[in-house]
Structure formats: structure tokens, C-alpha cells
Amino acid sequence: MIAVGSLKEQVPTLNDRGELVRGARRNSRALFLLLFCRYVSSQCKILRCNSEYVAATLNLRGSNKNAAYCNALRSYSHCTRKTARTCRGDLAYHSAVHGIEDLMIQNNCSKEGPTSPPRPRLPAPNHQGFESLDICNYEKNFFHKNGRPPAYQHCAAFGDPHIRTFHDDFHTCRVEGSWPLLDNNYLFVQATSYPVAKGSNATVTSKLTIIFKNMKECIDQKVYQAEIDNLPAAFEDGSVNGGERPGGSSLTIQERLPGQHVEIRAVYIGTTIAVRQAGRQLSFSIRTAEQVARSFTEEQDLQLCVSGCPPSQRLSRSECRRGSIAVEMARVLCKEKLPVEDVYFQSCVFDVVTSGDINFTLAAHGALEDARVFHPDAEKLHIFQTGAGCHHLSLPFLFLSITSSLLAIQLHF
């Protein structure tokens, strides 16, 4: 709701649906006028008239506030008359005209008299409407308000899946079925997983659903869905941007590698998302503004990117289920892609041993490369967890270890 100065009880305001709402102090009957239609004709300038009216009534103060309000209504009326020819078939226009007449009668405003001075217009550096004011550019808007760039956070889900949270916690999870990675005021991301092998607790992501929620003048709601062997370079409705709104170009989708890597940029919320496929699993990485990541309520408490996996869903990477690839071979394969033996390397070994699929080396490597680009602190790129590596031994090595232990016992006695 947009408040209208100290005249909140008697001056109409706009609610989230763009309706004009009349206060109840002077008239108990609320007045609802539709000032915005989703698809307003580009020739009808009723949106501009409404914007001028709201700007003129935002901060009315002092003893002459009623006179100033009447001035604003007369300006509003003049503006609607100027656009009458191009707005004849527009419902919002006709609703506004009748609403202005009603409000002028209720406030004893004469039709003739002074009007509000025109609002000073800022010089526009381009011709993209709202974007010239950076409304749909989160980083520029944040800097303008705060005098500094925003802080960012990074989260990733890949492989088993392994979750790197916004707080740099790292969990390996079973989470079979559908689980939310994110659920805030701007984004909803859900991952669906299935067992990596028969009888295994380990799971891999087979489907990702990403919802960019409706945001005023910036974007229409957009849904992106990816499944194994179906990594589209478009949203569900076939579009590749945020829609017909003035800031639609602030949400874009681009194919980096056909069938393997898609990147979605949501400039209006300072967010970039990477979706990848490696072998028979999908991975997800995100860089988002800290303010956006924290925009959720207590009811939205289940988010793997925020809190990690619930304790009951966590797996130990030190226990690898016997697979077709031995630990020593898995370490060699992972070392080729991941020379630093951090959690990405440990996760790679765990996944290759558990699944027998060497494509998991690509999944871990892709996640590390995304983190290299997305993580705001280069010094926190690598995470080291002692004792979390895969300790399952191949049969020859296991036999040698047991023989050595028995020999040591005999020598002791």
C-alpha cells in the first residue's frame, strides 16, 4: 500500500493490485477504482496520470493541505482529459474519471481553480522507462539508497546431493522426494531427488523447479523447470525474459552449453542462477543479494540453502557404499578435476564410489567453478572437513590391511 501523507483517512491510496482505496473516516464506504490493468495500451497514458497524482499527494502537510489536495485532483482530471481520445476503450481510464468526480464532490473541490505544479522529471540516461530510474536494477538501486554495493551470498546443490548453504555449512543429504532449496518473498526453488542406486541412501537431483515471483513493474511471474535430459533455455511459457512489463529485460535466461548448462540472470533482485546436468543428475548454484536471501517469514523455515539438511537427512561421506569403482581409482579420477582435497573433492570421491558413474567428477568440478564465480569471498572458496572423506577400502587393499594387522598382533605376543 502506498500511503498518502497525513491525509491517509481521506485521500485515496493505491493497494498492491493498483486499486484506488478511499479512507473510511469521512466516508465509511470504501471506493475501489482500478487504475492499473495488466495490459494497458501503450497509447493510453492513464498510468502516467496516476503516477503524477500519487506524487502530488504523497506528503501533504500544513493548514492548506485540503486546498493542495483539490489542486492535485484538478491536475489529475486535466491529465485524464488530455488522454481521453486514446483511452476510450480502457476500463482503468473510465474508472479513474468517475472516481475523480466522486472525490471532488466529497471534498468540496471546484472544477475550476489552480492545479498542482508539474513534477520535475529526472534526466533519463536511456529510453527504457522504469529502468532509467534503476527500479529494476537491484545493485544500482541499493547503491543509490545506501552508498555502497549490496552483500551477496552463495548456495549450491550438486551430486548426492551435497548442499553448500548461504552460511558455508556443507552437508551430504539423502532428501529423497521434493525439498525446497529456497522459499522467500522473491524466489521459490524446489529440488526433486531419487536414490542414486538400488538400496542406497544416497540420492541425486532429477528435477529442479524455479519460480520467480511476480514483482510489480519489473517482471511477470516466471517458472523454469529442468529435468534430466531436458535442460530448456526458456521459461515454461516459452519466453526468455521477464515478460511485457517495463523491467522485463531484468530477467533473462541464456544457454551456456546446450543440454548441460543454463544461466538465469535476475538483475531486479541481484541474483544469478546456474543449472547444470552432468551424467544422470542436475546441479543448482546461486549468487543472490543477502537482503533477498533473508526475505522470508518463520513459516518458510524449511530451506536447504538457509539451514542445510535436517539432521535426520544427513549422510556421512566417510562411509562409502561398495560400488563398481574402488576408492583409490575414484580418488585418481577426482584428482584430475579437483586438485585441492576439500569438500568438493571428498564429495566427488563419495559420489563416484557410491554410483560407479565417473560423470560425478564433472558435477563436483562444475559446482566448484560456479562457487569460484558466485562466492563473494574468494578466501572461503574451499571448505575443509577433516575425517569426512570416503574411507571404504577396495578388497586387495582391505586384505593387505587385515594381514598386516594380524602379523603385528602375532609379533606383539
Side-chain angles (χ1 to χ4, degrees), residues 94-151:
H94 291 288
S95 298
V97 169
H98 292 300
I100 292 168
E101 292 176 357
D102 186 32
L103 292 172
M104 292 184 76
I105 293 172
Q106 292 178 30
N107 289 276
N108 297 318
C109 299
S110 62
K111 293 185 177 180
E112 302 297 329
T115 59
S116 298
R119 180 174 57 168
R121 296 185 178 275
L122 296 175
N126 56 47
H127 301 285
Q128 298 183 22
F130 285 103
E131 287 187 343
S132 65
L133 301 178
D134 297 334
I135 292 176
C136 297
N137 187 312
Y138 181 88
E139 187 167 299
K140 289 184 178 180
N141 196 32
F142 187 95
F143 188 87
H144 177 74
K145 291 179 179 179
N146 301 279
R148 60 178 178 83

Side-chain angles (χ1 to χ4, degrees), residues 181-413:
L181 294 171
L182 285 171
D183 183 10
N184 59 45
N185 295 340
Y186 304 96
L187 280 170
F188 178 79
V189 181
Q190 179 175 276
T192 302
S193 302
Y194 70 97
V196 66
K198 187 176 181 180
S200 173
N201 284 329
T203 57
V204 290
T205 300
S206 58
K207 181 178 181 180
L208 282 167
T209 301
I210 305 171
I211 300 176
F212 296 87
K213 299 180 181 179
N214 183 320
M215 187 175 173
K216 297 180 181 178
E217 65 274 1
C218 292
I219 69 151
D220 300 321
Q221 177 170 293
K222 293 291 178 178
V223 178
Y224 179 79
Q225 285 203 37
E227 297 183 70
I228 292 176
D229 297 331
N230 182 20
L231 205 66
F235 297 106
E236 262 200 336
D237 60 3
S239 65
V240 293
N241 58 36
E244 299 297 327
R245 302 192 184 191
S249 61
S250 64
L251 175 64
T252 57
I253 184 169
Q254 184 176 1
E255 190 174 52
R256 292 294 186 184
L257 189 62
Q260 297 181 42
H261 185 190
V262 167
E263 186 173 276
I264 305 173
R265 291 183 177 270
V267 176
Y268 70 101
I269 52 173
T271 297
T272 303
I273 293 174
V275 178
R276 296 175 183 261
Q277 177 173 340
R280 307 301 298 170
Q281 64 91 34
L282 300 176
S283 63
F284 167 87
S285 295
I286 185 171
R287 176 184 187 262
T288 189
E290 185 177 274
Q291 193 177 53
V292 172
R294 293 181 176 180
S295 64
F296 58 89
T297 64
E298 293 181 0
E299 289 75 20
Q300 297 167 298
D301 58 340
L302 181 57
Q303 302 180 62
L304 302 188
C305 275
V306 176
S307 304
C309 305
S312 63
Q313 297 295 317
R314 296 177 191 175
L315 298 175
S316 172
R317 291 191 306 280
S318 63
E319 299 176 6
C320 297
R321 181 180 181 272
R322 185 189 301 274
S324 59
I325 298 180
V327 174
E328 291 80 6
M329 179 56 69
R331 290 179 61 86
V332 171
L333 293 171
C334 291
K335 196 74 171 179
E336 292 178 1
K337 297 287 185 182
L338 305 155
V340 179
E341 295 191 15
D342 58 0
V343 291
Y344 293 98
F345 173 82
Q346 294 171 351
S347 300
C348 175
V349 174
F350 178 89
D351 291 345
V352 171
V353 171
T354 302
S355 68
D357 184 355
I358 63 174
N359 285 304
F360 277 90
T361 61
L362 301 176
H365 179 259
L368 179 60
E369 290 304 299
D370 287 337
R372 201 182 303 278
V373 176
F374 289 170
H375 202 287
D377 188 349
E379 294 184 359
K380 294 182 179 179
L381 173 63
H382 300 288
I383 299 175
F384 298 93
Q385 293 179 346
T386 58
C390 190
H391 300 315
H392 177 72
L393 302 177
S394 62
L395 285 176
F397 194 83
L398 180 61
F399 178 76
L400 179 61
S401 298
I402 294 174
T403 303
S404 300
S405 299
L406 291 174
L407 179 60
I409 294 174
Q410 290 176 353
L411 291 174
H412 178 74
F413 289 102

